[in-house]
Amino acid sequence: MARHQTDRPHAAVRGPAPVIVAVAAIAGTATIPFTTATAAQAAQAARAGTGTATYDCAIFSTHFDYEPTITVTAPADAAVGDQVPFEAEFTPMPNKAPLPVDKWTTTGQISLSGAATGEAGMSAPEKTGPVAPGTPITIGKLTGRFTAGNAGDVRLAPGKLVVSAVASGATAAITCALKGSAPTLATVKVAGATGPAATVTPSSIQQGAAITIGGTGWQSGNVSLSLCDANGAACKDGDLTDAAASADATGMLTGHATIADQAGIGARTLKVTQGAVSKDVALTVTEKSTPPTGGCAGKPADRCGEQKVSVTVNAGALTMSRQPGEVTLTPVTLDGTARTATGDLKQVQVVDARGGTSGWSLTGTITDFASSSGLKIPAGNLSWTPKCAAAAGSSVVTTGSAGPLDTTTASALCGAADGTGAVVGGSFTADAGLNLKVPPVTGAGQYAAVLTLTLS
């Protein structure tokens, strides 16, 4: 979007006032108290609890409140070994972004206690906007699964929530952390194992590595294997290679498979299927490690190790500022000939910290020079000679052409072209020499004009 700066000079051509262009970025943390489900709800086939929530959210260092109503729903009953589905529905989140939010994804966790402990992940499909500033952001339903490993009651309570949002090309995470403890909103009664059971070893596996499948209670014959997402859906045939499994006459299941190099990493589900019977087993796929390089190449793993180091670079803003004060041109004395008044634009600094490939332009227009008596010197009598420079490490800056200014048609002062597959940005300075032609027939007095610079 364009940003403008103007000044109304008196007795001279005056420079622009500072303007800052803000780029939206979103981030946050959160906290929650809840109410629990009623007895009538608990008696239903799917147990659900609905309650209000209070989150302490932050956009970087700026905090705001998020008070959703949350409903957690899960089956009333399950058996040991089951992959138990659940969902958590959140009412919309306040939108503190000054620019429209283009798209966002939401992930989170459900805290487990009782017969199962730890955290179970949940997620929602990507949503698209744009969502106008000040308009709530829809969170909706998140779904997930947990493994019922032991008999007994498993209690579900809301936990961490993360919204990854994109606004005007800038991406940031809204991370919402639970404040204090959250009451149980759903309970699953897990009974002893019934029907066939399946296991996967190891439960965390690298891309390209092999897994072993086991289990009991199956019918004699072949069993099919497929790798799916964390919720047991979106199964991809190509994610498993060399897959084979079968049960013997006693119902003992044995099998093996290799995780494909291109299989998606993160929480996944191995689906074991025989006819109408299907069992889901949770596992985690991690990124395939590369052979040692550099100083560890050819050395024993127990004597030399490597560590991957990563960093997150958040987008900044496109901003413009200038030196304080006004531009005063040199005075002239009428002598019956055209005279010239000269001066220099107050230096302008442009900072492009967006971290993207979009360029920018800084242009100017000017009004006619007017005196207190109503006399004028045309705007086109003022010409400028732009001077632009890029700070060390910045991308290339382009200097505008020398020439007259206009009241409506913008003249280029400085700019940077879009990057062709490359990031552009950095810090830049813009100056210009000013030259005003004073006609021989000009009324005596002080003249002033307004020079407007626009950054876009």
Side-chain angles (χ1 to χ4, degrees):
M1 69 177 69
R3 289 292 183 271
H4 308 276
Q5 61 178 23
T6 60
D7 249 335
R8 187 174 302 279
H10 299 281
V13 180
R14 301 196 177 177
V19 167
I20 296 178
V21 180
V23 174
I26 306 175
T29 57
T31 55
I32 314 184
F34 300 85
T35 60
T36 57
T38 65
Q41 290 171 318
Q44 297 174 1
R47 296 185 177 180
T50 299
T52 59
T54 300
Y55 278 92
D56 173 26
C57 295
I59 298 179
F60 294 122
S61 59
T62 301
H63 290 255
F64 66 93
D65 290 336
Y66 170 37
E67 299 181 351
T69 297
I70 300 177
T71 299
V72 176
T73 305
D77 303 289
V80 171
D82 284 352
Q83 290 288 299
V84 182
F86 62 84
E87 66 180 32
E89 185 170 6
F90 291 72
T91 52
M93 172 183 288
N95 181 8
K96 298 296 182 178
L99 297 177
V101 176
D102 302 319
K103 59 183 178 180
W104 65 100
T105 55
T106 307
T107 58
Q109 293 178 340
I110 284 291
S111 296
L112 306 175
S113 61
T117 58
E119 308 292 334
M122 57 181 178
S123 61
E126 182 180 83
K127 294 179 173 62
T128 57
V131 175
T135 303
I137 299 173
T138 300
I139 301 300
K141 291 182 180 179
L142 286 75
T143 60
R145 292 182 177 228
F146 70 88
T147 302
N150 300 291
D153 288 354
V154 177
R155 297 180 291 275
L156 284 69
K160 181 180 180 181
L161 187 70
V162 177
V163 178
S164 180
V166 177
S168 295
T171 303
I174 305 174
T175 304
C176 302
L178 185 67
K179 178 188 282 186
S181 60
T184 297
L185 294 185
T187 300
V188 180
K189 292 186 175 294
V190 180
T194 58
T199 61
V200 173
T201 306
S203 59
S204 181
I205 188 71
Q206 286 186 2
Q207 295 167 320
I211 55 174
T212 300
I213 296 88
T216 57
W218 296 85
Q219 296 294 320
S220 177
N222 291 331
V223 176
S224 64
L225 306 172
S226 54
L227 190 59
C228 314
D229 65 16
N231 298 322
C235 305
K236 295 183 179 180
D237 293 338
D239 280 359
L240 286 181
T241 62
D242 190 29
S246 62
D248 61 18
T250 67
M252 184 70 68
L253 174 66
T254 57
H256 57 81
T258 299
I259 306 298
D261 287 345
Q262 73 275 10
I265 61 175
R268 303 295 299 271
T269 300
L270 182 74
K271 190 176 290 291
V272 184
T273 305
Q274 187 181 56
V277 178
S278 182
K279 289 291 181 180
D280 290 350
V281 186
L283 79 160
T284 300
V285 177
T286 59
E287 188 175 7
K288 184 177 182 179
S289 60
T290 57
T293 58
C296 287
K299 296 183 179 180
D302 60 347
R303 304 294 290 273
C304 189
E306 296 177 343
Q307 294 188 21
K308 183 178 180 180
V309 180
S310 62
V311 63
T312 299
V313 178
N314 294 312
L318 177 66
T319 62
M320 176 174 69
S321 61
R322 69 158 173 86
Q323 291 177 337
E326 300 175 348
V327 177
T328 301
L329 301 180
T330 57
V332 297
T333 300
L334 296 171
D335 63 0
T337 65
R339 302 304 305 272
T340 300
T342 60
D344 293 294
L345 187 71
K346 292 293 183 180
Q347 187 180 81
V348 177
Q349 183 180 46
V350 174
V351 176
D352 183 3
R354 295 171 294 175
T357 58
S358 297
W360 54 270
S361 64
L362 182 60
T363 59
T365 58
I366 193 166
T367 65
D368 291 334
F369 286 80
S371 69
S372 58
S373 61
L375 299 174
K376 292 185 178 181
I377 300 174
N381 283 27
L382 181 73
S383 298
W384 69 7
T385 303
K387 295 176 286 184
C388 306
S394 301
S395 54
V396 176
V397 66
T398 301
T399 302
S401 300
L405 297 178
D406 190 79
T407 57
T408 56
T409 302
S411 299
L413 178 58
C414 298
D418 291 345
T420 305
V423 175
V424 297
S427 181
F428 311 89
T429 56
D431 300 275
L434 302 176
N435 186 304
L436 177 65
K437 294 180 180 179
V438 180
V441 181
T442 301
Q446 281 192 327
Y447 291 77
V450 177
L451 174 65
T452 301
L453 295 178
T454 300
L455 176 65
S456 61

Short mmCIF file of all heavy atoms in Angstrom, two decimals, residues 87-117:
data_model
loop_
_atom_site.label_atom_id
_atom_site.label_comp_id
_atom_site.label_asym_id
_atom_site.label_seq_id
_atom_site.Cartn_x
_atom_site.Cartn_y
_atom_site.Cartn_z
N GLU A 87 -12.36 -34.09 18.77
CA GLU A 87 -12.33 -32.78 18.13
C GLU A 87 -12.52 -31.70 19.19
O GLU A 87 -13.13 -31.92 20.24
CB GLU A 87 -13.40 -32.65 17.05
CG GLU A 87 -14.81 -32.68 17.56
CD GLU A 87 -15.84 -32.54 16.44
OE1 GLU A 87 -15.57 -33.01 15.32
OE2 GLU A 87 -16.92 -31.98 16.70
N ALA A 88 -11.96 -30.53 18.91
CA ALA A 88 -12.12 -29.36 19.79
C ALA A 88 -12.52 -28.19 18.92
O ALA A 88 -11.84 -27.87 17.94
CB ALA A 88 -10.83 -29.06 20.53
N GLU A 89 -13.65 -27.56 19.26
CA GLU A 89 -14.17 -26.45 18.46
C GLU A 89 -14.03 -25.14 19.24
O GLU A 89 -14.46 -25.04 20.39
CB GLU A 89 -15.63 -26.68 18.10
CG GLU A 89 -16.19 -25.62 17.18
CD GLU A 89 -17.57 -25.98 16.64
OE1 GLU A 89 -18.12 -27.01 17.08
OE2 GLU A 89 -18.07 -25.25 15.78
N PHE A 90 -13.41 -24.15 18.60
CA PHE A 90 -13.15 -22.84 19.20
C PHE A 90 -13.97 -21.76 18.50
O PHE A 90 -14.10 -21.78 17.27
CB PHE A 90 -11.67 -22.46 19.07
CG PHE A 90 -10.73 -23.30 19.90
CD1 PHE A 90 -10.46 -24.61 19.56
CD2 PHE A 90 -10.11 -22.77 21.01
CE1 PHE A 90 -9.58 -25.38 20.31
CE2 PHE A 90 -9.24 -23.52 21.77
CZ PHE A 90 -8.98 -24.84 21.43
N THR A 91 -14.52 -20.83 19.28
CA THR A 91 -15.16 -19.67 18.67
C THR A 91 -14.07 -18.73 18.15
O THR A 91 -12.90 -18.87 18.49
CB THR A 91 -16.07 -18.96 19.69
OG1 THR A 91 -15.32 -18.70 20.88
CG2 THR A 91 -17.28 -19.81 20.02
N PRO A 92 -14.43 -17.74 17.28
CA PRO A 92 -13.41 -16.93 16.59
C PRO A 92 -12.48 -16.17 17.53
O PRO A 92 -12.82 -15.85 18.67
CB PRO A 92 -14.25 -15.97 15.75
CG PRO A 92 -15.52 -16.72 15.50
CD PRO A 92 -15.78 -17.47 16.77
N MET A 93 -11.31 -15.87 17.00
CA MET A 93 -10.27 -15.11 17.71
C MET A 93 -10.28 -13.67 17.24
O MET A 93 -10.45 -13.39 16.06
CB MET A 93 -8.90 -15.74 17.43
CG MET A 93 -7.71 -14.94 17.95
SD MET A 93 -6.12 -15.72 17.50
CE MET A 93 -6.12 -17.14 18.60
N PRO A 94 -10.08 -12.70 18.16
CA PRO A 94 -9.99 -11.30 17.73
C PRO A 94 -8.85 -11.10 16.74
O PRO A 94 -7.82 -11.77 16.82
CB PRO A 94 -9.72 -10.55 19.04
CG PRO A 94 -10.20 -11.45 20.12
CD PRO A 94 -9.97 -12.85 19.62
N ASN A 95 -9.04 -10.18 15.82
CA ASN A 95 -8.03 -9.90 14.79
C ASN A 95 -7.38 -8.55 15.10
O ASN A 95 -8.02 -7.51 14.99
CB ASN A 95 -8.69 -9.88 13.42
CG ASN A 95 -7.69 -9.62 12.30
OD1 ASN A 95 -6.48 -9.59 12.54
ND2 ASN A 95 -8.18 -9.44 11.11
N LYS A 96 -6.11 -8.58 15.48
CA LYS A 96 -5.39 -7.36 15.81
C LYS A 96 -4.46 -6.91 14.68
O LYS A 96 -3.71 -5.96 14.84
CB LYS A 96 -4.56 -7.57 17.09
CG LYS A 96 -5.42 -7.90 18.31
CD LYS A 96 -6.33 -6.76 18.68
CE LYS A 96 -7.15 -7.08 19.91
NZ LYS A 96 -8.01 -5.97 20.32
N ALA A 97 -4.52 -7.60 13.53
CA ALA A 97 -3.65 -7.23 12.41
C ALA A 97 -4.16 -5.96 11.74
O ALA A 97 -5.35 -5.85 11.47
CB ALA A 97 -3.59 -8.36 11.39
N PRO A 98 -3.28 -4.98 11.45
CA PRO A 98 -3.71 -3.76 10.76
C PRO A 98 -3.95 -3.97 9.27
O PRO A 98 -4.46 -3.09 8.61
CB PRO A 98 -2.55 -2.80 11.01
CG PRO A 98 -1.36 -3.68 11.18
CD PRO A 98 -1.86 -4.93 11.86
N LEU A 99 -3.55 -5.13 8.74
CA LEU A 99 -3.76 -5.45 7.34
C LEU A 99 -4.60 -6.72 7.23
O LEU A 99 -4.66 -7.51 8.17
CB LEU A 99 -2.42 -5.66 6.62
CG LEU A 99 -1.50 -4.43 6.56
CD1 LEU A 99 -0.19 -4.80 5.90
CD2 LEU A 99 -2.16 -3.30 5.81
N PRO A 100 -5.26 -6.96 6.09
CA PRO A 100 -6.08 -8.18 5.95
C PRO A 100 -5.25 -9.45 6.11
O PRO A 100 -4.13 -9.53 5.62
CB PRO A 100 -6.64 -8.05 4.52
CG PRO A 100 -6.57 -6.59 4.20
CD PRO A 100 -5.34 -6.08 4.91
N VAL A 101 -5.82 -10.43 6.80
CA VAL A 101 -5.20 -11.74 6.95
C VAL A 101 -5.63 -12.58 5.75
O VAL A 101 -6.83 -12.81 5.54
CB VAL A 101 -5.60 -12.41 8.27
CG1 VAL A 101 -5.00 -13.81 8.35
CG2 VAL A 101 -5.13 -11.57 9.45
N ASP A 102 -4.66 -13.05 4.97
CA ASP A 102 -4.97 -13.75 3.72
C ASP A 102 -5.34 -15.21 3.94
O ASP A 102 -6.27 -15.73 3.33
CB ASP A 102 -3.78 -13.65 2.76
CG ASP A 102 -3.42 -12.20 2.46
OD1 ASP A 102 -4.36 -11.40 2.28
OD2 ASP A 102 -2.23 -11.88 2.43
N LYS A 103 -4.59 -15.91 4.79
CA LYS A 103 -4.86 -17.32 5.05
C LYS A 103 -4.23 -17.71 6.37
O LYS A 103 -3.34 -17.03 6.86
CB LYS A 103 -4.34 -18.21 3.92
CG LYS A 103 -2.84 -18.09 3.66
CD LYS A 103 -2.42 -18.94 2.47
CE LYS A 103 -0.92 -18.78 2.19
NZ LYS A 103 -0.49 -19.60 1.04
N TRP A 104 -4.71 -18.84 6.95
CA TRP A 104 -4.17 -19.27 8.23
C TRP A 104 -4.47 -20.74 8.47
O TRP A 104 -5.43 -21.30 7.93
CB TRP A 104 -4.74 -18.42 9.37
CG TRP A 104 -6.22 -18.56 9.60
CD1 TRP A 104 -6.85 -19.30 10.55
CD2 TRP A 104 -7.27 -17.91 8.85
NE1 TRP A 104 -8.21 -19.16 10.44
CE2 TRP A 104 -8.49 -18.32 9.41
CE3 TRP A 104 -7.27 -17.04 7.77
CZ2 TRP A 104 -9.72 -17.88 8.92
CZ3 TRP A 104 -8.50 -16.61 7.27
CH2 TRP A 104 -9.70 -17.03 7.85
N THR A 105 -3.60 -21.39 9.24
CA THR A 105 -3.81 -22.77 9.68
C THR A 105 -3.72 -22.81 11.19
O THR A 105 -3.00 -22.02 11.81
CB THR A 105 -2.76 -23.72 9.08
OG1 THR A 105 -1.44 -23.23 9.40
CG2 THR A 105 -2.90 -23.81 7.57
N THR A 106 -4.47 -23.73 11.79
CA THR A 106 -4.51 -23.83 13.24
C THR A 106 -4.13 -25.24 13.66
O THR A 106 -4.63 -26.22 13.11
CB THR A 106 -5.90 -23.50 13.78
OG1 THR A 106 -6.32 -22.23 13.28
CG2 THR A 106 -5.90 -23.45 15.30
N THR A 107 -3.22 -25.35 14.63
CA THR A 107 -2.86 -26.62 15.24
C THR A 107 -2.92 -26.45 16.75
O THR A 107 -3.00 -25.33 17.26
CB THR A 107 -1.43 -27.07 14.83
OG1 THR A 107 -0.50 -26.05 15.22
CG2 THR A 107 -1.34 -27.30 13.33
N GLY A 108 -2.90 -27.55 17.46
CA GLY A 108 -2.95 -27.46 18.91
C GLY A 108 -2.73 -28.80 19.57
O GLY A 108 -2.32 -29.78 18.93
N GLN A 109 -3.01 -28.85 20.86
CA GLN A 109 -2.83 -30.08 21.64
C GLN A 109 -3.99 -30.25 22.60
O GLN A 109 -4.60 -29.28 23.06
CB GLN A 109 -1.52 -30.02 22.44
CG GLN A 109 -0.26 -30.03 21.59
CD GLN A 109 0.99 -29.92 22.43
OE1 GLN A 109 0.96 -29.48 23.57
NE2 GLN A 109 2.12 -30.33 21.85
N ILE A 110 -4.29 -31.50 22.87
CA ILE A 110 -5.22 -31.88 23.93
C ILE A 110 -4.40 -32.58 25.02
O ILE A 110 -3.60 -33.48 24.72
CB ILE A 110 -6.31 -32.82 23.40
CG1 ILE A 110 -7.33 -32.04 22.59
CG2 ILE A 110 -7.01 -33.56 24.53
CD1 ILE A 110 -8.20 -31.09 23.40
N SER A 111 -4.58 -32.15 26.26
CA SER A 111 -3.87 -32.76 27.38
C SER A 111 -4.63 -33.99 27.85
O SER A 111 -5.85 -33.93 28.07
CB SER A 111 -3.73 -31.76 28.53
OG SER A 111 -2.94 -30.66 28.13
N LEU A 112 -3.92 -35.11 28.00
CA LEU A 112 -4.51 -36.38 28.44
C LEU A 112 -4.10 -36.67 29.86
O LEU A 112 -2.94 -36.46 30.25
CB LEU A 112 -4.06 -37.52 27.52
CG LEU A 112 -4.29 -37.33 26.01
CD1 LEU A 112 -3.68 -38.50 25.25
CD2 LEU A 112 -5.77 -37.18 25.71
N SER A 113 -5.02 -37.19 30.65
CA SER A 113 -4.71 -37.63 32.02
C SER A 113 -5.55 -38.86 32.34
O SER A 113 -6.53 -39.16 31.65
CB SER A 113 -5.00 -36.50 33.02
OG SER A 113 -6.36 -36.13 32.99
N GLY A 114 -5.16 -39.55 33.39
CA GLY A 114 -5.85 -40.78 33.74
C GLY A 114 -5.15 -41.98 33.14
O GLY A 114 -3.93 -42.17 33.33
N ALA A 115 -5.90 -42.82 32.41
CA ALA A 115 -5.34 -44.03 31.81
C ALA A 115 -4.38 -43.72 30.67
O ALA A 115 -3.65 -44.62 30.22
CB ALA A 115 -6.45 -44.94 31.32
N ALA A 116 -4.35 -42.51 30.18
CA ALA A 116 -3.37 -42.06 29.17
C ALA A 116 -2.88 -40.69 29.60
O ALA A 116 -3.63 -39.89 30.15
CB ALA A 116 -4.00 -42.00 27.79
N THR A 117 -1.61 -40.42 29.38
CA THR A 117 -1.03 -39.13 29.77
C THR A 117 -0.28 -38.52 28.60
O THR A 117 0.01 -39.20 27.60
CB THR A 117 -0.08 -39.30 30.96
OG1 THR A 117 0.97 -40.23 30.60
CG2 THR A 117 -0.81 -39.83 32.19
#
